Amino acid sequence: MPVSALSVLSPDALNEYIDLRSVPKHRYFGQHDIIDRLRKAVAFDYIFVSGLDVDHYRFGEGFSIDTDLPPAFIEAYMADRLPQTDPFILAAQSSRTVVVESDVYAGKEVPQRLLYLQRMFGVHNRTIVPIMRDETVYGAVGYTRATPFDAGEIAFLELVSGTVHNAFTKPLMERYAADQMRLSKGEMACLSQASFGLTSEGIGKATGYQLETVNSYIKSATKKIGAANRTQAIAEAIRRGLIA
C-alpha cells in the first residue's frame, strides 16, 4: 500500500474525505513544528504515531499511521507483511509499558528481511510507548535513533507521547466523530435530553429509561467522548455536531 503525503495536521486536509475509511491509512507528514520542538528535548531520527481508539484502526492492525519514516521503508515493510512477524511490534501489542527493540531482539528470532530494511533505511533502536484507555492498548508512539535512548530520555518520551498521539489523531477523531464515537441510540438520546438542562430523572421521563439506565448511558457517552463530566460531554457533543 503506497504511503500518502497527507498530513492530518494541515488545515482543511480532511475536507475531501467523506468518512474515516476513505482517508489514506499510511500518511507521511515530513517536517512539522510539533516534531521539531520535540526533537529539541530528545533527539531522535524518526517517529511513528499509530492507532485510533476505534475498532479496526488500533495499533498493530496497520490501518492508521502518521510518520516521517521513509515512505519506501513503510511500503516495503507493509508489502512484505512484516507487521505479522516483526517480534518488536508483536511484543508491543501486548505490552502496557515501554518496549525497547534491543530487549525484544535479544530473545527472539528476527526476520532477515526486516533487519535488511532497517539497515538500508537507518531505522534502528525502535522504542514504543503504548497509548491506553483503561486496560486497552489502542495506540502507540514509536521513536527510532541510531544510538539507544537512555532511561531519562525514555521517561520523558513516555510522559509526552500521549499528547503527541492526541495531536495527530484528534483531527481524525473530531472530523469523523459520528463514525468513530460508536454512541448508541440510548446514549445519544440521553445526551440530547441532557442538553436541554434536564436532570437524570427528567431524562428518564422524556426517554422512558430507568434512572440507572440514564446514568449508565450518560457515563458511557461521557467516557467515549473523552469528557471529564456530563456538562463537558454535552458541550463536546454539540461542538462536534453529534446533537443539535
Side-chain angles (χ1 to χ4, degrees):
M1 179 181 292
V3 177
S4 169
L6 171 70
S7 172
V8 297
L9 297 181
S10 300
D12 305 322
L14 301 173
N15 286 359
E16 66 179 276
Y17 303 103
I18 61 172
D19 57 24
L20 186 57
R21 291 180 294 276
S22 64
V23 177
K25 304 303 185 289
H26 303 92
R27 302 172 293 269
Y28 176 78
F29 57 77
Q31 185 175 3
H32 198 279
D33 284 347
I34 291 176
I35 304 306
D36 290 344
R37 290 176 184 274
L38 181 56
R39 279 195 173 98
K40 290 180 180 179
V42 174
F44 55 87
D45 296 330
Y46 300 112
I47 183 173
F48 50 95
V49 180
S50 178
L52 301 171
D53 193 10
V54 185
D55 290 341
H56 309 303
Y57 290 86
R58 290 177 176 163
F59 166 62
E61 296 183 15
F63 290 111
S64 181
I65 298 174
D66 293 282
T67 185
D68 62 357
L69 280 163
F73 172 81
I74 294 293
E75 290 173 4
Y77 183 88
M78 300 306 295
D80 291 341
R81 301 177 181 270
L82 287 172
Q84 286 76 40
T85 59
D86 184 346
F88 175 69
I89 295 299
L90 295 177
Q93 281 181 271
S94 60
S95 177
R96 289 172 172 76
T97 58
V98 174
V99 179
V100 177
E101 181 182 84
S102 58
D103 294 340
V104 176
Y105 277 16
K108 299 288 184 179
E109 182 176 351
V110 184
Q112 289 301 306
R113 175 61 173 170
L114 173 57
L115 294 175
Y116 170 77
L117 290 176
Q118 289 188 269
R119 289 194 300 270
M120 174 178 286
F121 292 99
V123 179
H124 303 296
N125 295 303
R126 292 176 297 170
T127 299
I128 273 185
V129 178
I131 307 299
M132 301 173 59
R133 175 178 52 78
D134 298 330
E135 294 301 310
T136 301
V137 176
Y138 67 84
V141 181
Y143 308 87
T144 82
R145 193 171 69 185
T147 57
F149 298 100
D150 64 33
E153 291 173 324
I154 289 175
F156 178 82
L157 293 175
E158 188 174 13
L159 181 66
V160 302
S161 289
T163 301
V164 173
H165 190 275
N166 183 63
F168 276 89
T169 60
K170 187 176 181 180
L172 286 165
M173 300 292 272
E174 291 195 345
R175 175 70 173 79
Y176 306 109
D179 179 45
Q180 58 82 22
M181 286 298 174
R182 307 182 308 282
L183 292 172
S184 69
K185 290 182 179 179
E187 291 165 341
M188 291 285 288
C190 289
L191 271 183
S192 180
Q193 293 298 323
S195 70
F196 299 138
L198 297 180
T199 63
S200 292
E201 289 81 1
I203 294 170
K205 291 178 181 179
T207 60
Y209 295 131
Q210 296 293 320
L211 178 61
E212 294 80 6
T213 302
V214 170
N215 288 332
S216 177
Y217 278 148
I218 293 291
K219 182 178 180 180
S220 59
T222 298
K223 187 175 182 179
K224 288 180 181 179
I225 289 175
N229 52 52
R230 179 185 300 209
T231 300
Q232 189 180 98
I234 293 168
E236 280 293 295
I238 292 172
R239 185 177 70 82
R240 298 181 187 194
L242 297 177
I243 57 178

